[in-house]
Each structure stands twice: as C-alpha cells, then as structure tokens.
Coordinates of all heavy atoms in Angstrom, one line a residue:
M204 N -10.6 -18.2 -31.5 CA -11.0 -17.7 -30.2 C -10.2 -16.4 -29.9 O -10.8 -15.5 -29.2 CB -10.5 -18.8 -29.2 CG -11.7 -19.8 -28.9 SD -11.1 -21.0 -27.7 CE -11.8 -20.4 -26.2
V205 N -9.0 -16.3 -30.3 CA -8.2 -15.1 -30.0 C -8.9 -13.9 -30.6 O -9.0 -12.9 -30.0 CB -6.8 -15.2 -30.6 CG1 -6.0 -13.9 -30.5 CG2 -6.0 -16.3 -29.8
S206 N -9.4 -14.0 -31.9 CA -10.0 -12.8 -32.5 C -11.4 -12.5 -31.9 O -11.7 -11.4 -31.7 CB -10.1 -13.0 -34.0 OG -10.9 -14.1 -34.3
T207 N -12.1 -13.6 -31.5 CA -13.4 -13.3 -30.7 C -13.0 -12.6 -29.4 O -13.7 -11.6 -29.1 CB -14.1 -14.6 -30.4 OG1 -14.2 -15.4 -31.5 CG2 -15.4 -14.4 -29.7
G208 N -12.0 -13.0 -28.7 CA -11.6 -12.4 -27.5 C -11.2 -11.0 -27.7 O -11.5 -10.1 -26.9
K209 N -10.5 -10.7 -28.8 CA -10.0 -9.4 -29.1 C -11.2 -8.4 -29.3 O -11.2 -7.3 -28.8 CB -9.1 -9.4 -30.3 CG -8.5 -8.0 -30.7 CD -7.5 -8.2 -31.8 CE -6.7 -7.0 -32.0 NZ -7.3 -6.0 -32.9
G210 N -12.2 -9.0 -30.0 CA -13.4 -8.2 -30.2 C -14.1 -7.8 -28.9 O -14.6 -6.7 -28.7
I211 N -14.2 -8.8 -28.0 CA -14.8 -8.5 -26.7 C -14.0 -7.5 -25.9 O -14.6 -6.6 -25.3 CB -15.0 -9.9 -25.9 CG1 -15.9 -10.8 -26.7 CG2 -15.5 -9.6 -24.5 CD1 -15.8 -12.2 -26.2
Y212 N -12.7 -7.7 -26.0 CA -11.8 -6.7 -25.3 C -12.1 -5.3 -25.8 O -12.3 -4.4 -25.0 CB -10.4 -7.1 -25.5 CG -9.4 -6.0 -25.1 CD1 -9.2 -5.7 -23.8 CD2 -8.8 -5.2 -26.1 CE1 -8.3 -4.7 -23.4 CE2 -7.9 -4.2 -25.7 CZ -7.7 -3.9 -24.4 OH -6.9 -2.9 -24.1
E213 N -12.1 -5.1 -27.1 CA -12.3 -3.8 -27.6 C -13.6 -3.2 -27.3 O -13.7 -2.0 -27.0 CB -12.1 -3.8 -29.2 CG -10.6 -4.0 -29.5 CD -10.4 -4.3 -31.0 OE1 -11.3 -4.5 -31.7 OE2 -9.2 -4.3 -31.4
L214 N -14.6 -4.0 -27.2 CA -16.0 -3.6 -26.9 C -16.2 -3.3 -25.4 O -16.8 -2.3 -25.0 CB -16.9 -4.7 -27.4 CG -18.3 -4.2 -27.9 CD1 -18.1 -3.4 -29.1 CD2 -19.2 -5.5 -28.1
K215 N -15.7 -4.2 -24.5 CA -16.1 -4.2 -23.1 C -15.0 -4.0 -22.1 O -15.3 -3.8 -20.9 CB -16.9 -5.5 -22.8 CG -18.1 -5.7 -23.7 CD -19.0 -6.8 -23.1 CE -20.4 -6.6 -23.6 NZ -21.2 -7.8 -23.1
C216 N -13.8 -4.1 -22.5 CA -12.7 -4.0 -21.5 C -11.7 -2.9 -21.7 O -11.1 -2.4 -20.8 CB -11.9 -5.4 -21.5 SG -12.9 -6.8 -21.7
Q217 N -11.6 -2.5 -23.0 CA -10.5 -1.6 -23.4 C -10.6 -0.2 -22.6 O -9.6 0.4 -22.4 CB -10.6 -1.3 -24.9 CG -9.4 -0.7 -25.5 CD -9.5 -0.7 -27.0 OE1 -10.5 -0.5 -27.6 NE2 -8.4 -1.0 -27.7
A218 N -11.8 0.2 -22.3 CA -12.0 1.5 -21.6 C -11.2 1.5 -20.3 O -10.9 2.5 -19.8 CB -13.5 1.7 -21.4
C219 N -11.0 0.3 -19.7 CA -10.4 0.3 -18.4 C -9.0 -0.5 -18.3 O -8.3 -0.4 -17.4 CB -11.3 -0.4 -17.4 SG -12.8 0.6 -17.1
H220 N -8.8 -1.3 -19.3 CA -7.6 -2.2 -19.3 C -6.7 -2.0 -20.5 O -7.2 -2.1 -21.7 CB -8.0 -3.7 -19.2 CG -8.6 -4.1 -18.0 ND1 -7.9 -4.2 -16.8 CD2 -9.9 -4.4 -17.7 CE1 -8.7 -4.6 -15.8 NE2 -9.9 -4.7 -16.3
K221 N -5.4 -1.6 -20.3 CA -4.5 -1.6 -21.4 C -3.9 -3.0 -21.6 O -3.9 -3.8 -20.7 CB -3.4 -0.6 -21.1 CG -3.8 0.8 -21.2 CD -2.6 1.7 -21.3 CE -3.0 3.1 -21.5 NZ -1.8 3.9 -22.0
L222 N -3.2 -3.2 -22.8 CA -2.6 -4.5 -23.0 C -1.1 -4.5 -22.6 O -0.4 -5.5 -22.7 CB -2.7 -4.8 -24.5 CG -4.1 -5.0 -25.0 CD1 -4.1 -5.3 -26.5 CD2 -4.8 -6.1 -24.3
T223 N -0.7 -3.3 -22.1 CA 0.7 -3.2 -21.6 C 0.6 -3.4 -20.0 O -0.4 -3.8 -19.5 CB 1.2 -1.8 -21.9 OG1 0.4 -0.9 -21.2 CG2 1.2 -1.6 -23.4
E224 N 1.7 -3.1 -19.4 CA 1.7 -3.2 -17.9 C 1.1 -2.0 -17.3 O 0.8 -1.9 -16.0 CB 3.2 -3.3 -17.4 CG 3.7 -4.7 -17.5 CD 5.2 -4.7 -17.6 OE1 5.9 -3.7 -17.2 OE2 5.8 -5.7 -18.0
E225 N 0.8 -1.0 -18.1 CA 0.3 0.3 -17.5 C -1.1 0.2 -17.0 O -2.0 -0.3 -17.7 CB 0.4 1.3 -18.7 CG 0.5 2.8 -18.2 CD 0.5 3.7 -19.4 OE1 1.1 3.3 -20.4 OE2 -0.1 4.8 -19.3
K226 N -1.3 0.8 -15.9 CA -2.7 0.8 -15.3 C -3.5 1.9 -15.9 O -3.0 3.0 -16.2 CB -2.5 1.1 -13.8 CG -3.8 1.2 -13.0 CD -3.5 1.2 -11.5 CE -4.4 2.0 -10.6 NZ -5.0 3.3 -10.9
L227 N -4.7 1.6 -16.2 CA -5.7 2.7 -16.7 C -6.6 2.9 -15.5 O -6.3 3.4 -14.5 CB -6.3 2.2 -18.0 CG -6.9 3.2 -18.9 CD1 -5.9 4.3 -19.3 CD2 -7.4 2.6 -20.2
V228 N -7.9 2.4 -15.7 CA -8.8 2.3 -14.5 C -8.4 1.0 -13.7 O -8.3 1.0 -12.5 CB -10.3 2.3 -14.9 CG1 -11.2 2.3 -13.7 CG2 -10.6 3.6 -15.7
G229 N -8.3 0.0 -14.5 CA -7.9 -1.3 -13.9 C -6.4 -1.6 -14.3 O -5.8 -0.9 -15.1
P230 N -5.8 -2.7 -13.8 CA -4.5 -3.1 -14.1 C -4.3 -3.4 -15.6 O -5.2 -3.9 -16.2 CB -4.2 -4.3 -13.3 CG -5.3 -4.5 -12.4 CD -6.5 -3.7 -12.9
G231 N -3.1 -3.1 -16.2 CA -2.8 -3.5 -17.5 C -2.7 -5.0 -17.6 O -2.4 -5.7 -16.6
W232 N -3.0 -5.6 -18.7 CA -3.1 -7.1 -18.8 C -1.8 -7.8 -19.1 O -1.7 -9.0 -19.1 CB -4.1 -7.4 -19.9 CG -5.5 -7.3 -19.4 CD1 -5.9 -6.9 -18.2 CD2 -6.7 -7.6 -20.2 NE1 -7.3 -6.9 -18.1 CE2 -7.8 -7.3 -19.3 CE3 -6.9 -7.9 -21.5 CZ2 -9.1 -7.5 -19.8 CZ3 -8.2 -8.1 -21.9 CH2 -9.3 -7.9 -21.1
K233 N -0.7 -7.0 -19.5 CA 0.6 -7.7 -19.8 C 1.0 -8.7 -18.7 O 1.0 -8.3 -17.5 CB 1.7 -6.7 -20.0 CG 2.9 -7.2 -20.6 CD 2.8 -7.5 -22.1 CE 3.8 -8.5 -22.6 NZ 3.3 -9.4 -23.6
D234 N 1.2 -9.9 -19.1 CA 1.7 -11.0 -18.2 C 0.6 -11.5 -17.1 O 1.0 -12.2 -16.2 CB 3.0 -10.6 -17.5 CG 4.1 -10.7 -18.5 OD1 4.0 -11.3 -19.5 OD2 5.2 -10.1 -18.2
V235 N -0.6 -11.0 -17.3 CA -1.6 -11.5 -16.3 C -1.8 -13.0 -16.4 O -2.0 -13.6 -15.3 CB -3.0 -10.7 -16.5 CG1 -3.6 -11.1 -17.9 CG2 -3.9 -11.0 -15.4
T236 N -1.6 -13.6 -17.6 CA -1.8 -15.0 -17.7 C -0.6 -15.8 -17.1 O -0.6 -17.0 -16.9 CB -2.0 -15.5 -19.1 OG1 -0.8 -15.2 -19.9 CG2 -3.2 -14.9 -19.8
K237 N 0.5 -15.0 -16.8 CA 1.7 -15.7 -16.2 C 1.6 -15.6 -14.7 O 2.2 -16.4 -14.0 CB 2.9 -15.1 -16.7 CG 3.1 -15.4 -18.2 CD 4.3 -14.8 -18.8 CE 4.3 -15.2 -20.3 NZ 5.1 -14.3 -21.1
T238 N 0.9 -14.6 -14.2 CA 0.9 -14.4 -12.7 C -0.4 -15.0 -12.1 O -0.5 -15.2 -10.9 CB 1.0 -13.0 -12.3 OG1 0.1 -12.2 -13.1 CG2 2.4 -12.4 -12.6
R239 N -1.5 -15.2 -12.9 CA -2.8 -15.7 -12.4 C -3.1 -17.0 -13.0 O -2.8 -17.2 -14.2 CB -3.9 -14.7 -12.7 CG -3.6 -13.2 -12.4 CD -3.8 -13.0 -10.9 NE -3.7 -11.6 -10.6 CZ -3.4 -11.1 -9.4 NH1 -3.2 -11.9 -8.4 NH2 -3.4 -9.8 -9.2
K240 N -3.8 -17.8 -12.3 CA -4.3 -19.1 -12.8 C -5.6 -18.8 -13.7 O -6.3 -17.9 -13.5 CB -4.8 -20.0 -11.7 CG -3.6 -20.4 -10.8 CD -3.9 -21.8 -10.2 CE -2.6 -22.3 -9.5 NZ -2.2 -21.5 -8.4
P241 N -5.7 -19.6 -14.8 CA -6.8 -19.4 -15.7 C -8.2 -19.3 -15.0 O -9.0 -18.5 -15.3 CB -6.8 -20.6 -16.6 CG -5.4 -21.1 -16.6 CD -4.9 -20.7 -15.2
L242 N -8.4 -20.2 -14.0 CA -9.7 -20.2 -13.3 C -9.9 -18.9 -12.5 O -11.0 -18.3 -12.5 CB -9.7 -21.4 -12.3 CG -11.0 -21.5 -11.5 CD1 -12.2 -21.7 -12.4 CD2 -11.0 -22.6 -10.4
W243 N -8.8 -18.3 -12.0 CA -8.9 -17.1 -11.2 C -9.3 -16.0 -12.2 O -10.2 -15.2 -11.9 CB -7.6 -16.8 -10.6 CG -7.6 -15.6 -9.6 CD1 -7.7 -15.7 -8.3 CD2 -7.4 -14.2 -10.0 NE1 -7.7 -14.4 -7.7 CE2 -7.5 -13.5 -8.8 CE3 -7.2 -13.5 -11.2 CZ2 -7.4 -12.1 -8.7 CZ3 -7.1 -12.1 -11.1 CH2 -7.2 -11.4 -9.9
I244 N -8.7 -16.0 -13.4 CA -9.1 -14.9 -14.4 C -10.5 -15.1 -14.8 O -11.3 -14.1 -14.9 CB -8.1 -15.0 -15.6 CG1 -6.7 -14.8 -15.2 CG2 -8.5 -14.0 -16.7 CD1 -5.6 -14.9 -16.3
M245 N -10.9 -16.4 -15.1 CA -12.3 -16.6 -15.5 C -13.3 -16.1 -14.4 O -14.3 -15.5 -14.8 CB -12.5 -18.1 -15.6 CG -11.9 -18.8 -16.8 SD -12.6 -18.3 -18.4 CE -14.2 -19.1 -18.3
N246 N -13.0 -16.3 -13.2 CA -13.9 -15.9 -12.1 C -13.9 -14.3 -12.0 O -15.0 -13.7 -11.8 CB -13.4 -16.4 -10.7 CG -13.8 -17.9 -10.5 OD1 -14.7 -18.3 -11.1 ND2 -13.0 -18.6 -9.7
M247 N -12.8 -13.7 -12.3 CA -12.7 -12.3 -12.3 C -13.6 -11.7 -13.4 O -14.2 -10.7 -13.3 CB -11.3 -11.9 -12.6 CG -10.6 -10.9 -11.7 SD -11.2 -10.5 -10.1 CE -11.0 -8.7 -10.2
I248 N -13.7 -12.4 -14.5 CA -14.5 -11.9 -15.7 C -16.0 -12.2 -15.5 O -16.8 -11.4 -15.7 CB -14.0 -12.6 -17.0 CG1 -12.5 -12.3 -17.2 CG2 -14.8 -12.0 -18.2 CD1 -11.9 -13.0 -18.4
T249 N -16.3 -13.4 -15.0 CA -17.7 -13.8 -14.9 C -18.3 -13.6 -13.6 O -19.6 -13.6 -13.5 CB -17.9 -15.3 -15.3 OG1 -17.1 -16.1 -14.4 CG2 -17.4 -15.5 -16.7
N250 N -17.5 -13.4 -12.5 CA -18.1 -13.4 -11.2 C -17.3 -12.4 -10.3 O -16.9 -12.7 -9.2 CB -18.1 -14.8 -10.6 CG -19.2 -14.9 -9.5 OD1 -19.8 -14.0 -9.1 ND2 -19.4 -16.2 -9.1
V251 N -17.2 -11.2 -10.8 CA -16.3 -10.2 -10.1 C -16.8 -9.8 -8.7 O -16.0 -9.6 -7.8 CB -16.0 -9.0 -11.1 CG1 -17.3 -8.2 -11.3 CG2 -14.9 -8.1 -10.5
E252 N -18.1 -9.8 -8.6 CA -18.6 -9.4 -7.2 C -18.1 -10.4 -6.2 O -17.7 -10.0 -5.1 CB -20.2 -9.4 -7.2 CG -20.8 -8.4 -8.1 CD -21.1 -9.0 -9.5 OE1 -20.5 -10.0 -9.9 OE2 -22.0 -8.4 -10.2
M253 N -18.3 -11.7 -6.5 CA -17.9 -12.7 -5.5 C -16.3 -12.6 -5.3 O -15.9 -12.7 -4.1 CB -18.2 -14.1 -6.1 CG -17.9 -15.3 -5.3 SD -16.3 -16.0 -5.5 CE -16.4 -16.8 -7.1
M254 N -15.6 -12.3 -6.3 CA -14.1 -12.2 -6.2 C -13.8 -11.0 -5.3 O -12.9 -11.1 -4.4 CB -13.5 -12.1 -7.5 CG -13.5 -13.3 -8.4 SD -12.6 -14.7 -7.6 CE -10.9 -14.3 -8.3
L255 N -14.4 -9.9 -5.5 CA -14.1 -8.7 -4.7 C -14.5 -8.9 -3.2 O -14.0 -8.3 -2.3 CB -14.7 -7.5 -5.3 CG -14.2 -7.0 -6.6 CD1 -14.9 -5.8 -7.1 CD2 -12.7 -6.7 -6.5
E256 N -15.5 -9.8 -3.0 CA -15.9 -10.0 -1.6 C -15.0 -11.1 -0.9 O -14.8 -11.0 0.3 CB -17.3 -10.5 -1.6 CG -18.2 -9.4 -1.0 CD -19.6 -9.4 -1.6 OE1 -20.3 -10.4 -1.3 OE2 -20.0 -8.4 -2.3
T257 N -14.5 -12.0 -1.7 CA -13.9 -13.2 -1.0 C -12.4 -13.4 -1.3 O -11.7 -14.1 -0.6 CB -14.6 -14.5 -1.3 OG1 -14.6 -14.7 -2.7 CG2 -16.1 -14.4 -0.9
D258 N -11.9 -12.9 -2.4 CA -10.6 -13.3 -2.8 C -9.6 -12.2 -2.4 O -9.7 -11.0 -2.9 CB -10.5 -13.5 -4.4 CG -9.2 -14.0 -4.8 OD1 -8.3 -13.1 -5.0 OD2 -9.0 -15.2 -4.9
P259 N -8.6 -12.5 -1.6 CA -7.6 -11.5 -1.1 C -6.8 -10.8 -2.2 O -6.6 -9.6 -2.1 CB -6.7 -12.4 -0.3 CG -7.3 -13.7 0.0 CD -8.3 -13.9 -1.1
E260 N -6.5 -11.6 -3.3 CA -5.8 -10.9 -4.4 C -6.6 -9.9 -5.1 O -6.2 -8.8 -5.5 CB -5.3 -12.0 -5.4 CG -4.2 -12.9 -4.9 CD -3.0 -12.2 -4.5 OE1 -2.5 -11.3 -5.2 OE2 -2.4 -12.5 -3.4
A261 N -7.9 -10.2 -5.4 CA -8.8 -9.3 -6.0 C -9.0 -8.1 -5.1 O -9.0 -6.9 -5.6 CB -10.1 -10.0 -6.3
Q262 N -9.1 -8.3 -3.8 CA -9.2 -7.2 -2.9 C -8.0 -6.3 -2.9 O -8.2 -5.0 -2.8 CB -9.5 -7.7 -1.5 CG -10.9 -8.3 -1.4 CD -11.2 -9.2 -0.1 OE1 -10.2 -9.5 0.6 NE2 -12.4 -9.5 0.1
K263 N -6.8 -6.8 -3.0 CA -5.6 -6.0 -3.1 C -5.7 -5.1 -4.3 O -5.3 -3.9 -4.3 CB -4.4 -6.9 -3.3 CG -3.7 -7.1 -2.0 CD -2.3 -7.9 -2.2 CE -2.2 -9.1 -1.3 NZ -1.2 -10.0 -1.8
L264 N -6.2 -5.6 -5.5 CA -6.3 -4.8 -6.7 C -7.3 -3.7 -6.5 O -7.1 -2.6 -6.9 CB -6.7 -5.7 -7.9 CG -5.7 -6.7 -8.4 CD1 -6.3 -7.5 -9.5 CD2 -4.5 -6.0 -8.8
L265 N -8.4 -4.0 -5.8 CA -9.4 -3.0 -5.5 C -8.8 -1.9 -4.7 O -9.1 -0.7 -4.9 CB -10.6 -3.6 -4.8 CG -11.7 -2.7 -4.3 CD1 -12.3 -1.9 -5.4 CD2 -12.8 -3.5 -3.6
E266 N -8.0 -2.2 -3.7 CA -7.3 -1.1 -2.9 C -6.4 -0.3 -3.7 O -6.3 0.9 -3.6 CB -6.5 -1.8 -1.8 CG -7.2 -2.0 -0.5 CD -6.4 -2.8 0.5 OE1 -5.2 -2.5 0.6 OE2 -7.0 -3.7 1.2
L267 N -5.8 -0.9 -4.7 CA -4.9 -0.2 -5.6 C -5.6 0.7 -6.6 O -5.2 1.8 -6.8 CB -4.1 -1.3 -6.4 CG -2.7 -0.9 -6.9 CD1 -1.7 -1.0 -5.8 CD2 -2.4 -1.9 -8.0
C268 N -6.7 0.2 -7.1 CA -7.4 0.9 -8.2 C -8.5 1.8 -7.7 O -8.9 2.7 -8.3 CB -8.0 -0.1 -9.2 SG -6.8 -1.2 -10.0
M269 N -9.0 1.4 -6.5 CA -10.1 2.2 -5.9 C -11.4 2.3 -6.7 O -12.1 3.3 -6.5 CB -9.6 3.6 -5.5 CG -8.3 3.4 -4.6 SD -8.1 4.6 -3.3 CE -8.0 6.1 -4.2
V270 N -11.5 1.4 -7.7 CA -12.8 1.4 -8.5 C -13.1 -0.1 -8.5 O -12.3 -1.0 -8.7 CB -12.5 1.8 -9.9 CG1 -13.8 1.7 -10.7 CG2 -12.0 3.2 -10.0
R271 N -14.4 -0.4 -8.3 CA -14.9 -1.8 -8.4 C -15.1 -2.1 -9.9 O -15.8 -1.4 -10.6 CB -16.2 -2.0 -7.7 CG -16.0 -1.9 -6.2 CD -17.4 -2.1 -5.5 NE -17.7 -3.5 -5.4 CZ -17.4 -4.3 -4.4 NH1 -16.8 -3.8 -3.3 NH2 -17.8 -5.6 -4.4
M272 N -14.5 -3.2 -10.4 CA -14.7 -3.6 -11.8 C -16.2 -4.0 -11.9 O -16.7 -4.8 -11.1 CB -13.8 -4.8 -12.1 CG -14.2 -5.4 -13.5 SD -12.9 -6.4 -14.1 CE -13.8 -7.7 -14.9
P273 N -16.9 -3.4 -12.8 CA -18.3 -3.8 -13.0 C -18.5 -5.2 -13.6 O -17.6 -5.6 -14.4 CB -18.9 -2.7 -13.9 CG -17.7 -2.3 -14.7 CD -16.5 -2.5 -13.9
N274 N -19.5 -5.9 -13.3 CA -19.8 -7.1 -14.0 C -20.3 -6.8 -15.4 O -21.2 -6.0 -15.7 CB -21.0 -7.9 -13.3 CG -21.2 -9.3 -13.8 OD1 -21.1 -9.5 -15.0 ND2 -21.5 -10.2 -13.0
Q275 N -19.6 -7.4 -16.4 CA -19.8 -7.1 -17.8 C -20.8 -8.1 -18.5 O -20.9 -8.0 -19.7 CB -18.5 -7.1 -18.6 CG -17.4 -6.1 -18.0 CD -17.7 -4.7 -18.4 OE1 -18.0 -4.4 -19.6 NE2 -17.7 -3.8 -17.5
N276 N -21.4 -9.0 -17.7 CA -22.3 -10.0 -18.3 C -21.7 -10.8 -19.4 O -22.2 -10.8 -20.5 CB -23.6 -9.3 -18.7 CG -24.4 -8.8 -17.5 OD1 -24.5 -9.5 -16.5 ND2 -24.8 -7.6 -17.6
I277 N -20.5 -11.3 -19.1 CA -19.8 -12.1 -20.1 C -20.1 -13.6 -19.9 O -20.1 -14.1 -18.8 CB -18.3 -11.9 -20.0 CG1 -17.9 -10.4 -20.0 CG2 -17.5 -12.7 -21.0 CD1 -18.0 -9.8 -21.3
T278 N -20.5 -14.3 -21.0 CA -20.7 -15.7 -20.9 C -19.4 -16.5 -20.6 O -18.3 -15.9 -20.9 CB -21.4 -16.3 -22.2 OG1 -20.4 -16.1 -23.2 CG2 -22.7 -15.5 -22.5
T279 N -19.6 -17.7 -20.1 CA -18.4 -18.5 -19.9 C -17.6 -18.7 -21.2 O -16.3 -18.6 -21.2 CB -18.8 -19.9 -19.3 OG1 -19.6 -19.6 -18.2 CG2 -17.5 -20.7 -18.9
A280 N -18.3 -18.9 -22.3 CA -17.6 -19.2 -23.6 C -16.8 -17.9 -24.0 O -15.7 -18.0 -24.4 CB -18.6 -19.5 -24.6
D281 N -17.5 -16.7 -23.8 CA -16.8 -15.5 -24.2 C -15.6 -15.2 -23.3 O -14.6 -14.7 -23.7 CB -17.8 -14.3 -24.2 CG -18.7 -14.3 -25.4 OD1 -18.4 -15.0 -26.3 OD2 -19.6 -13.4 -25.4
A282 N -15.8 -15.5 -22.0 CA -14.7 -15.3 -21.1 C -13.5 -16.2 -21.5 O -12.3 -15.7 -21.4 CB -15.1 -15.7 -19.6
R283 N -13.7 -17.4 -21.9 CA -12.6 -18.3 -22.4 C -11.9 -17.6 -23.6 O -10.7 -17.7 -23.6 CB -13.2 -19.6 -22.9 CG -13.5 -20.5 -21.7 CD -13.2 -22.0 -22.0 NE -13.7 -22.8 -20.9 CZ -14.9 -23.3 -20.8 NH1 -15.8 -23.1 -21.8 NH2 -15.3 -24.0 -19.7
S284 N -12.7 -17.0 -24.5 CA -12.0 -16.4 -25.6 C -11.2 -15.2 -25.2 O -10.1 -15.0 -25.7 CB -13.1 -15.9 -26.6 OG -13.8 -16.9 -27.1
V285 N -11.7 -14.5 -24.2 CA -10.9 -13.4 -23.7 C -9.6 -13.9 -23.0 O -8.5 -13.3 -23.3 CB -11.7 -12.5 -22.7 CG1 -10.8 -11.4 -22.1 CG2 -12.9 -11.9 -23.3
V286 N -9.7 -15.0 -22.3 CA -8.4 -15.5 -21.7 C -7.5 -16.0 -22.8 O -6.2 -15.7 -22.7 CB -8.8 -16.7 -20.8 CG1 -7.5 -17.4 -20.3 CG2 -9.6 -16.2 -19.6
E287 N -8.0 -16.5 -23.9 CA -7.1 -16.9 -25.0 C -6.4 -15.7 -25.6 O -5.2 -15.7 -25.9 CB -7.9 -17.6 -26.1 CG -8.2 -19.1 -25.8 CD -7.0 -19.9 -25.3 OE1 -5.9 -19.8 -26.0 OE2 -7.1 -20.5 -24.2
F288 N -7.2 -14.6 -25.7 CA -6.6 -13.3 -26.2 C -5.6 -12.8 -25.3 O -4.5 -12.3 -25.7 CB -7.8 -12.3 -26.4 CG -7.3 -10.9 -26.7 CD1 -6.6 -10.7 -27.9 CD2 -7.5 -9.9 -25.9 CE1 -6.1 -9.4 -28.2 CE2 -7.0 -8.6 -26.2 CZ -6.3 -8.4 -27.3
M289 N -5.8 -12.9 -24.0 CA -4.8 -12.5 -23.0 C -3.5 -13.4 -23.1 O -2.4 -12.8 -23.1 CB -5.3 -12.7 -21.6 CG -6.3 -11.7 -21.1 SD -7.0 -12.3 -19.6 CE -7.9 -10.8 -19.1
R290 N -3.7 -14.7 -23.4 CA -2.5 -15.5 -23.5 C -1.7 -15.1 -24.8 O -0.5 -15.1 -24.8 CB -2.9 -17.0 -23.6 CG -3.3 -17.6 -22.3 CD -4.1 -18.9 -22.5 NE -3.4 -19.8 -23.4 CZ -2.5 -20.7 -23.0 NH1 -2.1 -20.8 -21.7 NH2 -1.9 -21.5 -23.9
Y291 N -2.5 -14.8 -25.8 CA -1.8 -14.4 -27.1 C -1.1 -13.1 -26.8 O 0.1 -12.9 -27.3 CB -2.9 -14.2 -28.1 CG -2.5 -13.5 -29.4 CD1 -1.8 -14.3 -30.4 CD2 -2.7 -12.2 -29.7 CE1 -1.4 -13.7 -31.6 CE2 -2.2 -11.6 -30.8 CZ -1.6 -12.4 -31.8 OH -1.1 -11.8 -32.9
N292 N -1.7 -12.2 -26.1 CA -1.0 -10.9 -25.7 C 0.2 -11.1 -24.9 O 1.1 -10.3 -25.0 CB -2.1 -10.0 -25.0 CG -1.5 -8.6 -24.7 OD1 -1.1 -7.9 -25.6 ND2 -1.6 -8.2 -23.4
D293 N 0.3 -12.2 -24.2 CA 1.5 -12.5 -23.4 C 2.5 -13.3 -24.2 O 3.4 -13.9 -23.6 CB 1.0 -13.3 -22.1 CG 0.4 -12.4 -21.1 OD1 0.5 -11.1 -21.3 OD2 -0.3 -12.9 -20.2
G294 N 2.2 -13.5 -25.5 CA 3.2 -14.1 -26.3 C 3.1 -15.6 -26.5 O 4.0 -16.3 -26.9
E295 N 2.0 -16.2 -26.0 CA 1.8 -17.6 -26.2 C 1.0 -17.9 -27.4 O 0.2 -17.1 -27.8 CB 1.2 -18.2 -24.9 CG 2.2 -18.3 -23.8 CD 1.5 -18.7 -22.4 OE1 0.8 -19.7 -22.4 OE2 1.7 -17.9 -21.5
K296 N 1.2 -19.1 -27.9 CA 0.4 -19.5 -29.1 C -0.8 -20.3 -28.8 O -0.9 -20.8 -27.8 CB 1.3 -20.2 -30.1 CG 2.4 -19.3 -30.6 CD 3.3 -19.9 -31.6 CE 4.5 -19.0 -31.8 NZ 5.5 -19.3 -30.9
Ligands
LIG492 C1 -15.0 0.2 -15.5 C2 -13.7 -0.3 -15.6 C3 -13.5 -1.8 -16.0 C4 -14.0 -2.5 -17.1 C5 -14.9 -2.0 -18.2 C6 -13.4 -3.8 -17.0 N1 -12.6 -3.9 -15.9 FE1 -11.4 -5.5 -15.3 N2 -10.8 -4.5 -13.7 C7 -11.1 -3.2 -13.3 C8 -10.6 -2.9 -12.0 C9 -10.7 -1.5 -11.3 C10 -9.9 -4.0 -11.6 C11 -9.1 -4.2 -10.3 C12 -10.1 -4.9 -9.3 C13 -11.1 -3.9 -8.8 O1 -10.7 -2.8 -8.3 O2 -12.3 -4.2 -8.9 C14 -10.0 -5.0 -12.7 C15 -9.4 -6.2 -12.7 C16 -9.4 -7.2 -13.7 C17 -8.7 -8.4 -13.7 C18 -7.6 -8.8 -12.8 C19 -6.3 -8.2 -13.3 C20 -5.0 -8.6 -12.6 O3 -4.0 -7.9 -12.8 O4 -5.0 -9.6 -11.9 C21 -9.1 -9.0 -14.9 C22 -8.5 -10.3 -15.4 C23 -10.1 -8.2 -15.5 N3 -10.3 -7.1 -14.8 C24 -10.7 -8.5 -16.7 C25 -11.6 -7.7 -17.3 C26 -12.3 -8.1 -18.6 C27 -12.1 -9.4 -19.3 C28 -13.1 -7.0 -18.9 C29 -14.0 -6.9 -20.1 C30 -14.9 -8.0 -20.4 C31 -13.0 -6.0 -17.9 N4 -12.1 -6.5 -17.0 C32 -13.6 -4.8 -17.9 C33 -11.9 -2.3 -14.1 C34 -12.6 -2.7 -15.2

C-alpha cells in the first residue's frame, strides 16, 4: 500500500505538497498523520469541496494557502494507500 500511495503522490499530489514541513502550494505533509485523524485526511482527499465548505480546520488551511485544493478524483482505496504512505513518511511502520 505504501508504494501504491507513493506512486499516487508523485503523480497527483507532489506538485503542491512536499513531504517535509515546508509549504509549497499546500501544506507540507510531515506529521500530518500525527495532527489529523485518518478520517479527516480521507475526507480531505476524496471530498475536499465538502471539507472546504464545512470543516473549520480545512477552512483555516484555505486562508493560509489561498488556493483551493482541487478534487483529484481519488478512489477510497487509493486514498487509503496515500494515507499509508503519509504514515510511512511520518516514521510509522
Ligand atoms: C493544486 C494543488 C494541490 C494538489 C494537486 C493537491 N493538493 Fe492537497 N492541498 C492543497 C491546498 C492549497 C491545501 C490547503 C487547503 C486549501 O487551501 O484548499 C491542501 C490540503 C491538503 C491536506 C490537509 C493538510 C494538512 O496539513 O492538514 C491533505 C491531507 C491533502 N491536501 C492531500 C492531498 C492529496 C492526497 C493530494 C493528491 C492526491 C493532494 N492533496 C493534491 C493543494 C493541493
């Protein structure tokens, strides 16, 4: 799952997200799995429009980044792989 997630990251997320804490277009992913719940991350990946409309934390990020993250049409299964890749990036096995 981690390598599937990495592939998706390189294809569809890397243009806007670094794996460090550094912000690119969107926030860097370092420690995102420690500060956010898995379901929240899943929703951000598969249903970003809803999150930007209703979730206060997502809205804070929007104020910070001033760009709306586009919906990348990621399936639930692929989103799970990306979350696994994020966990791996945060040093978990
Ligand atoms: C065009 C740029 C862009 C692309 C491509 C993009 N994002 Fe984002 N992402 C953002 C922005 C900007 C935000 C901050 C929220 C906002 O402003 O909409 C964000 C926020 C996030 C967050 C919340 C981060 C945090 O610190 O809580 C996650 C998780 C996320 N994106 C995952 C993904 C995934 C997974 C992909 C690839 C499938 C992806 N993004 C592709 C721009 C992008």
Side-chain angles (χ1 to χ4, degrees):
M204 269 177 102
V205 170
S206 63
T207 307
K209 184 169 189 278
I211 297 164
Y212 165 74
E213 285 169 353
L214 212 64
K215 298 192 157 174
C216 320
Q217 199 171 34
C219 296
H220 293 285
K221 289 198 177 197
L222 297 177
T223 61
E224 279 156 20
E225 202 184 324
K226 176 170 149 325
L227 201 55
V228 180
W232 281 358
K233 189 76 202 147
D234 288 342
V235 66
T236 63
K237 294 180 181 157
T238 51
R239 311 281 189 200
K240 297 207 167 69
L242 180 65
W243 189 95
I244 300 178
M245 288 290 292
N246 283 335
M247 229 20 222
I248 303 174
T249 58
N250 206 349
V251 63
E252 296 93 339
M253 183 270 287
M254 290 296 273
L255 290 178
E256 251 150 65
T257 62
D258 186 274
E260 291 300 317
Q262 288 167 347
K263 261 188 231 163
L264 291 179
L265 175 58
E266 270 174 40
L267 204 79
C268 301
M269 308 215 296
V270 179
R271 291 179 80 93
M272 172 165 143
N274 187 325
Q275 302 282 312
N276 293 312
I277 304 289
T278 63
T279 305
D281 280 353
R283 283 216 185 90
S284 298
V285 175
V286 173
E287 284 311 308
F288 172 62
M289 287 170 167
R290 283 164 53 85
Y291 173 80
N292 185 51
D293 287 344
E295 284 171 53
K296 293 184 190 89

